[in-house]
């Protein structure tokens, strides 16, 4: 299946994409993760992207679209994929459509994860991530057994620099102005499915599989 996960930052797209990817073996293609990796490696692309990311703004389309096109050409993405955090503008969506149609394919479904703004701020500012394996935690909703340490691999947990309250507010503004129009864009194409992201992660996962017609045994 070729899927797009859409929704505001902190809605749980990454958590759900990770889980679905592990169950079905479709690669999770998270542009935010790819960009953070480039920033950490200090590649020329990472150096350019960093200033936008630090402000909570979107990285220019030409950078992100190039990254996604390269990733979609990898062998593991030929049977399906989960795009997590891309597209984020109508222009990116059009570029994606053009790229896929040149291979004779297209997006099968877009899942829109819906959560209130208040809940998003609470989730993002409490979010912690394992430096080693990428596992996600929350200091109140999903704390690790030992503070600051990953339950799965013992790695050190860190807070993303753009998860501070001011940057989170900016990311929300950017989402509403530039990404939210994709909801009607995909709805009008008849491929948009909505999932209530306020439920607990297991319930969200159940509903996700239901809307995608995947069995829930
Ligand atoms: P995320 O991890 O998805 O919240 O992304 C973190 C940051 O990476 C965003 O705030 C943007 O600066 C940048 N980013 C990720 N995906 C995209 C995209 N599709 N288009 C533009 N910028 C992006």
């Amino acid at each position: 299946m070729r899927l797009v996960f859409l929704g505001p930052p902190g809605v749980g797209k990454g958590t759900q994409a990770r889980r679905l990817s592990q169950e079905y073996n479709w690669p999770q293609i998270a542009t935010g993760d790819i960009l953070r990796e480039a920033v950490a490696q200090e590649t020329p692309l990472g150096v350019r992207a960093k200033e936008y990311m630090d402000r909570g703004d979107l990285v220019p389309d030409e950078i992100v679209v190039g990254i996604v096109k390269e990733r979609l050409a990898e062998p593991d993405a030929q049977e399906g994929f989960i795009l997590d955090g891309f597209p984020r503008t109508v222009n990116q969506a059009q570029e994606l459509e053009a790229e896929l149609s040149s291979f004779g394919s297209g997006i099968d479904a877009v899942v829109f994860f819906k959560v209130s703004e208040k809940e998003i701020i609470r989730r993002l500012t409490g979010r912690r991530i394992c430096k080693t394996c990428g596992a996600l935690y929350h200091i109140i909703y999903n704390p690790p057994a030992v503070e600051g340490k990953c339950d799965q691999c013992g790695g050190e947990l860190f807070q993303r620099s753009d998860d501070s309250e001011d940057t989170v507010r900016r990311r929300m503004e950017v989402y509403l102005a530039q990404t939210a129009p994709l909801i009607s864009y995909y709805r009008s194409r008849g491929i948009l499915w909505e999932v209530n992201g306020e439920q607990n992660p297991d319930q969200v996962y159940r509903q996700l599989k239901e809307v995608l017609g995947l069995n829930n045994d």
Side-chain angles (χ1 to χ4, degrees), residues 5 12-21 113 201-202 204-205 208:
F5 281 10
K13 300 187 296 289
T15 302
Q16 298 296 329
R18 202 178 161 92
R19 198 159 158 181
L20 200 67
S21 164
F113 295 82
D202 288 343
V204 175
Y205 194 60
L208 169 67

Side-chain angles (χ1 to χ4, degrees), residues 28-95:
Q28 171 189 8
I29 304 179
T31 42
D33 288 347
I34 298 172
L35 288 166
R36 272 186 293 281
E37 181 65 28
V39 170
Q41 307 274 326
E42 296 180 3
T43 64
L45 189 149
V47 172
R48 268 190 75 195
K50 185 176 185 315
E51 58 171 303
Y52 298 94
M53 296 172 78
D54 283 348
R55 286 199 303 263
D57 284 336
L58 293 185
V59 172
D61 285 351
E62 79 264 15
I63 297 185
V64 184
V65 168
I67 291 177
V68 171
K69 281 187 183 172
E70 268 181 32
R71 184 62 188 85
L72 290 178
E74 302 273 328
D76 68 337
Q78 303 316 305
E79 298 302 316
F81 51 75
I82 307 164
L83 279 169
D84 163 13
F86 182 95
R88 255 176 158 103
T89 62
V90 170
N91 179 50
Q92 289 180 12
Q94 288 165 340
E95 292 268 6

